[in-house]
Amino acid sequence: MGIEMARIAFILLCHKDPKGVVAQARRLTASGDYVSIHFDGRANPGDFDLIREALADNPSVVFAQRRWKCGWGEWSLVGATLEAVRAAVAAFPQATHFYMLSGDCMPIKSAEHAHAFLEAEDCDYIESFDFFESDWIKTGFKEERLVYRHWFNERTQKWLFYTSYELQKRFGLERRVPADIQVMIGSQWWCLRRQTVEKVLDFCAARTDVMRFFSTTWIPDETFFQTVVPHVVPRKEIRSRTLTYLIFTDYGMPVTFHNDHYDLLMGQNYLFARKISPEAIRLRERLGALWAASGVHFPISNEAGGLFRFLTARGRIGRRFGQRFWEAEGSLGRDNTLLLVVSKKWHVAKRLTAAIRAQAAIPAVDFVFNELDAHLPDLGGVETTVEKRDRHRRALIRLLFQQFESHRLVLCLDPSALPLIQDLTSDKADTRLLLIDSRFDDDYLRGHIARVGLAGSETASEVIERLLPMVRADLEHEAERLRDLDFAALHSIAPWRSPEQNAAQLARFLDVPAETALALARTEYLFSD
């Protein structure tokens, strides 16, 4: 038995692209549906003000009362979702369904089709597989997600996260899952009926013990709703699937859809899809128009998953999908500009990238091929080891362009990495070099000798003194080898030049206004040791 007159309250979690959020909210509410927005508390306040102002006169839009500062793998994502759900339940009494969406999602069916689909069967759509028995988790932590307490963010507080885990493990501080709860796991993209959502909120209010338990589990957005819904709703009323279409590569990254995927997406038995490339303007326009269309017939083929596996497994090259992306020898993109900051003194380069992030609005990462903590965004596991990054260097850089949604990227390299520099400068992308010239005094050289293991704490001082001129000559030779490449787009800054001279080099290297370049050149203690 179905539901009469489905009306959807979309729970929209987002953290960027305010114009896209506004367009999405207007599109979804134009079909008679509702939108409840949670905009990340860490995001740009100006972006949030823009969204609120643009949607202020839309009675079908509501905002979460509390804005959580969200972090991947944290309870904050569940807290933000619950906040948006509570706002929607209170504001939209006529909503029959509550549908989780992100800013990267787009409809792949008409609203007319989506309403008819939800009206056809009285059920909830949420992936819900047994946490311990299923193979939903392929690698990494499994039981450890639950039996240990996780207070820290694995991405931004890696040392605290793993130290806390190791201490709990060493001292046997495991905990039990609440006795009457069967933990389930699945995709965070669900669509639930109103009565189910109300039961979930009642459960949250009544079972503070379960809330406490999940608040310190790891990646609870894959387990909380997936566990609670089967606890409050009969299993026969749950369809263990998502209505949002997404494909993962065998490297664990979600596939991004482009302009030539329109027909393929329409043929899938889903209502929405993620991720739609921000550059796929034509696809976004067509899908936006599709949501408002009426009388459209959708022949369901469901071939996308099989087609994707066929094309990637065979390593074929085509417009839809090319080789496995980490095997591709292709370009970083003719339209992209890769800005390489080359410096022996890493602390100087990192001061510059910090200033660029703050003042030039250009994405900038640090020594990604040398250090784990390099201001990388979450890339779904590609970034977890330095070795993996170097092995799949072009794939990593392409992902960074996509993740930052930018055609420009600053990246730091050590001048000793000459083969890597030559590899990147030979690409079809617009690649530029900025060499940070340095003087190497004796104190710096002694520290460098210790860091690279040329000498230890027991090494005689006279041995170190004999090493100093050799190491100095070696470091200076690295910079000379770089100059010998005679690379056309080589720029340089140095502590012995004036801020105005350095600013002229920075302006050309970054393509920024003279005043921005001068502000960067005048960064406090930029060249200090």
Side-chain angles (χ1 to χ4, degrees):
M1 186 176 173
I3 292 178
E4 293 183 9
M5 281 297 294
R7 296 186 74 178
I8 309 167
F10 291 98
I11 308 302
L12 181 56
L13 264 56
C14 45
H15 65 279
K16 60 184 179 182
D17 188 18
K19 292 181 180 177
V21 172
V22 170
Q24 191 176 39
R26 286 175 174 162
R27 178 190 313 117
L28 297 174
T29 56
S31 58
D33 296 303
Y34 309 102
V35 174
S36 179
I37 297 173
H38 179 279
F39 197 71
D40 194 339
R42 295 186 195 277
N44 186 333
D47 288 349
F48 183 60
D49 292 341
L50 189 155
I51 295 169
R52 287 205 73 134
E53 186 177 336
L55 298 173
D57 59 349
N58 191 328
S60 296
V61 174
V62 71
F63 291 88
Q65 289 195 345
R66 175 186 173 186
R67 288 174 61 203
W68 287 69
K69 292 182 178 180
C70 296
W72 186 88
E74 292 181 11
W75 171 256
S76 54
L77 290 173
V78 178
T81 304
L82 287 171
E83 201 67 41
V85 166
R86 290 188 185 102
V89 168
F92 310 127
Q94 291 180 293
T96 60
H97 292 78
F98 294 75
Y99 194 124
M100 271 284 292
L101 278 184
S102 78
D104 294 324
C105 297
M106 287 288 289
I108 57 174
K109 297 290 183 294
S110 63
E112 180 182 72
H113 177 96
H115 293 153
F117 182 96
L118 295 177
E119 289 162 10
E121 192 175 6
D122 189 7
C123 63
D124 297 303
Y125 296 91
I126 182 169
E127 280 192 353
S128 188
F129 305 102
D130 186 278
F131 184 91
F132 296 99
E133 299 300 324
S134 73
D135 64 346
W136 204 86
I137 299 173
K138 303 295 184 188
T139 59
F141 281 3
K142 189 168 183 178
E143 292 84 354
E144 296 89 344
R145 290 192 186 193
L146 306 178
V147 299
Y148 298 110
R149 296 164 180 83
H150 301 279
W151 294 287
F152 305 104
N153 186 291
E154 194 268 345
R155 292 289 190 262
T156 60
Q157 301 167 296
K158 198 174 289 287
W159 185 87
L160 288 171
F161 179 92
Y162 286 105
T163 301
S164 167
Y165 160 68
E166 291 293 346
L167 287 172
Q168 291 178 75
K169 188 177 175 182
R170 183 184 305 171
F171 292 108
L173 299 177
E174 294 187 10
R175 59 175 175 175
R176 292 179 179 173
V177 175
D180 62 331
I181 295 294
Q182 180 186 4
V183 179
M184 309 294 281
I185 190 166
S187 167
Q188 65 268 53
W189 311 110
W190 43 253
C191 177
L192 303 175
R193 296 165 297 171
R194 184 181 195 91
Q195 62 265 37
T196 300
V197 164
E198 289 172 345
K199 287 175 182 176
V200 168
L201 294 179
D202 289 342
F203 179 92
C204 293
R207 293 297 301 270
T208 53
D209 60 323
V210 177
M211 300 294 281
R212 275 197 307 273
F213 173 79
F214 276 104
S215 69
T216 50
T217 59
W218 191 43
I219 322 183
D221 54 314
E222 293 179 352
T223 54
F224 178 75
F225 290 98
Q226 297 78 356
T227 298
V228 174
V229 170
H231 192 79
V232 299
V233 172
R235 299 288 176 121
K236 64 181 181 181
E237 296 179 15
I238 298 173
R239 302 295 170 264
S240 189
R241 59 160 296 191
T242 174
L243 297 180
T244 298
Y245 182 65
L246 64 162
I247 305 178
F248 285 92
T249 67
D250 49 356
Y251 211 56
M253 292 299 296
V255 171
T256 300
F257 297 108
H258 298 281
N259 285 333
D260 55 341
H261 294 147
Y262 178 78
D263 294 333
L264 180 140
L265 290 173
M266 276 184 62
Q268 307 315 306
N269 191 23
Y270 296 83
L271 305 183
F272 284 76
R274 71 183 306 267
K275 295 182 164 184
I276 309 298
S277 169
E279 297 172 8
I281 305 301
R282 179 62 181 146
L283 178 61
R284 288 176 169 271
E285 288 174 349
R286 294 177 76 186
L287 293 177
L290 179 65
W291 180 252
S294 59
V296 181
H297 173 62
F298 295 93
I300 303 300
S301 66
N302 273 339
E303 96 277 14
L307 178 64
F308 176 79
R309 284 188 291 274
F310 170 71
L311 290 172
T312 54
R314 294 284 294 275
R316 295 165 58 116
I317 299 172
R319 288 189 65 208
R320 278 180 200 246
F321 305 104
Q323 298 157 281
R324 297 181 181 206
F325 74 87
W326 61 91
E327 296 172 343
E329 294 299 325
S331 170
L332 299 174
R334 290 181 184 275
D335 297 330
N336 291 332
T337 300
L338 182 62
L339 302 158
L340 302 177
V341 174
V342 183
S343 177
K344 197 69 199 178
K345 293 188 175 181
W346 293 6
H347 55 281
V348 178
K350 288 193 274 191
R351 283 192 201 117
L352 180 61
T353 54
I356 290 170
R357 284 190 291 271
Q359 300 180 52
I362 302 172
V365 295
D366 297 335
F367 290 86
V368 297
F369 300 113
N370 302 94
E371 295 182 302
L372 268 179
D373 184 14
H375 274 92
L376 281 178
D378 172 30
L379 297 172
V382 180
E383 78 285 10
T384 50
T385 68
V386 170
E387 293 76 19
K388 189 185 288 188
R389 295 177 197 170
D390 188 55
R391 193 162 63 246
H392 310 307
R393 61 182 67 153
R394 294 200 178 205
L396 172 69
I397 295 170
R398 286 186 70 95
L399 282 172
L400 288 171
F401 279 117
Q402 292 174 13
Q403 193 76 3
F404 285 119
E405 298 181 4
S406 171
H407 288 294
R408 293 195 292 170
L409 173 68
V410 177
L411 188 149
C412 297
L413 295 176
D414 190 283
S416 64
L418 195 64
L420 174 57
I421 294 169
Q422 289 174 304
D423 178 38
L424 296 177
T425 54
S426 68
D427 193 84
K428 295 174 185 175
D430 175 14
T431 307
R432 306 176 194 175
L433 289 179
L434 177 73
L435 175 63
I436 302 181
D437 274 315
S438 301
R439 285 198 180 102
F440 305 109
D441 61 27
D442 288 357
D443 285 341
Y444 175 85
L445 292 173
R446 290 188 188 96
H448 178 75
I449 287 167
R451 283 191 294 275
V452 299
L454 282 174
S457 58
E458 305 298 320
T459 305
S461 59
E462 57 265 30
V463 173
I464 294 176
E465 293 306 309
R466 284 201 300 271
L467 282 172
L468 289 178
M470 289 184 283
V471 172
R472 178 180 285 110
D474 186 58
L475 297 186
E476 290 172 350
H477 179 58
E478 286 180 352
E480 286 309 308
R481 285 194 305 163
L482 196 59
R483 288 191 174 89
D484 288 344
L485 289 176
D486 202 22
F487 185 61
L490 176 63
H491 310 274
S492 66
I493 59 174
W496 53 83
R497 296 190 189 125
S498 70
E500 289 74 16
Q501 289 173 312
N502 286 332
Q505 295 285 314
L506 287 167
R508 286 194 288 272
F509 171 65
L510 294 169
D511 268 342
V512 294
E515 58 267 27
T516 303
L518 187 57
L520 294 173
R522 286 176 171 163
T523 298
E524 199 169 9
Y525 306 117
L526 177 59
F527 296 105
S528 298
D529 287 328

